[in-house]
Amino acid sequence: MKIGYCLTGSFCTFSKSLDALRELVAAGHQVTPIMSENAYKTDTRFGTADYFKNELFSVTGNDIIHTIPQAEPIGPKKMFDVLAIVPCTGNTLAKLAGGITDTAVTMAVKSHLRNARPVVIGVSTNDALGGAAKNIGQLMNYKNYYFIPFSMDDCNHKPKSMVCDFTKTLHTIELAANGKEIAQKIF
C-alpha cells in the first residue's frame, strides 16, 4: 500500500511512532512522512526536530510533506491508499472534528478524504478524557475514520491522558484499508 504517515506534536511518543513506521516499511508498504509545522520545526527534551526529520527520511526514503501547499495535492493525485496520524494530538483531533484546515496534516486529511479513503488515528493526548473526549467521540462516528486501540497511559498521575497502542498501528492500517475497524479494548 501507499501510506501517508503523519506526526503531530505529541513529542514524547515520537520514538514509539518511529518504531511503528519501521514496521510498516518492513511489511513492504511505501510510506511518505507528513509532519505538522510544529512537529517539523520544534526541538524538545525528547529530541531535536532535525533528528526526527532525518530518521523519517532514513526509514522511508521519502521527503517529508510539511506545508499546506505540499499536502493539498494528496487527494487530487490520489497519492495514498491510507492516511495515518500517529501520534494525533488533542489539538489535531479538535481541528479534524471542527473541519479546520490550517496545518499540513489537517490539509492532508481533508484532501485525502475527498476520495472517501481511510484515515487512521493514533490518539496521544493528555486531555482525552477531558476536552478532547467530545472530538474523539465525534470522529469515531464519522465515516472513513479508524482508531488504533488506545487506553489510559498513567491513570495515577495523568487521569485524563490516553495514548494509542503503537504496536497495533500496522494491523489497524491494514484493516482500515479494507474498511474494517479494529476492536477497541476498554480498560
Side-chain angles (χ1 to χ4, degrees):
M1 278 187 293
K2 293 186 291 182
I3 300 168
Y5 194 84
C6 307
L7 287 89
T8 63
S10 180
F11 302 102
C12 62
T13 63
F14 276 17
S15 291
K16 290 179 181 179
S17 182
L18 282 172
D19 290 342
L21 174 63
R22 287 183 189 96
E23 188 177 8
L24 288 168
V25 172
H29 300 296
Q30 180 185 350
V31 183
T32 300
I34 303 166
M35 297 179 86
S36 68
E37 288 78 353
N38 285 330
Y40 186 80
K41 68 181 179 183
T42 304
D43 295 335
T44 73
R45 64 187 172 106
F46 303 103
T48 66
D50 284 341
Y51 169 78
F52 289 111
K53 289 186 285 192
N54 289 336
E55 284 296 302
L56 288 168
F57 180 78
S58 174
V59 171
T60 66
N62 290 312
D63 291 329
I64 300 166
I65 294 172
H66 62 94
T67 68
I68 290 173
Q70 290 171 325
E72 188 278 329
I74 288 171
K77 291 184 177 182
K78 297 183 179 178
M79 291 172 61
F80 307 119
D81 301 305
V82 176
L83 190 74
I85 310 169
V86 187
C88 185
T89 61
N91 186 49
T92 299
L93 289 165
K95 290 177 181 189
L96 295 174
I100 298 169
T101 306
D102 64 352
T103 70
V105 170
T106 56
M107 175 54 81
V109 172
K110 176 186 175 186
S111 188
H112 180 76
L113 283 171
R114 73 184 268 167
N115 299 312
R117 292 187 175 182
V119 174
V120 171
I121 294 178
V123 170
S124 182
T125 178
N126 286 326
D127 71 341
L129 296 173
K134 66 181 177 195
N135 300 318
I136 292 168
Q138 191 171 342
L139 291 171
M140 283 185 155
N141 282 298
Y142 285 172
K143 188 174 179 153
N144 298 316
Y145 280 96
Y146 301 84
F147 282 76
I148 299 169
F150 58 96
S151 62
M152 296 180 80
D153 61 325
D154 184 355
C155 61
N156 292 321
H157 298 100
K158 300 187 295 182
K160 295 184 180 192
S161 182
M162 297 186 94
V163 67
C164 72
D165 181 348
F166 289 91
T167 66
K168 303 265 193 260
T169 302
L170 172 63
H171 187 55
T172 305
I173 288 172
E174 289 177 340
L175 284 173
N178 293 305
K180 296 181 180 174
E181 181 87 57
I182 192 167
Q184 292 285 339
K185 182 177 180 183
I186 305 298
F187 295 90

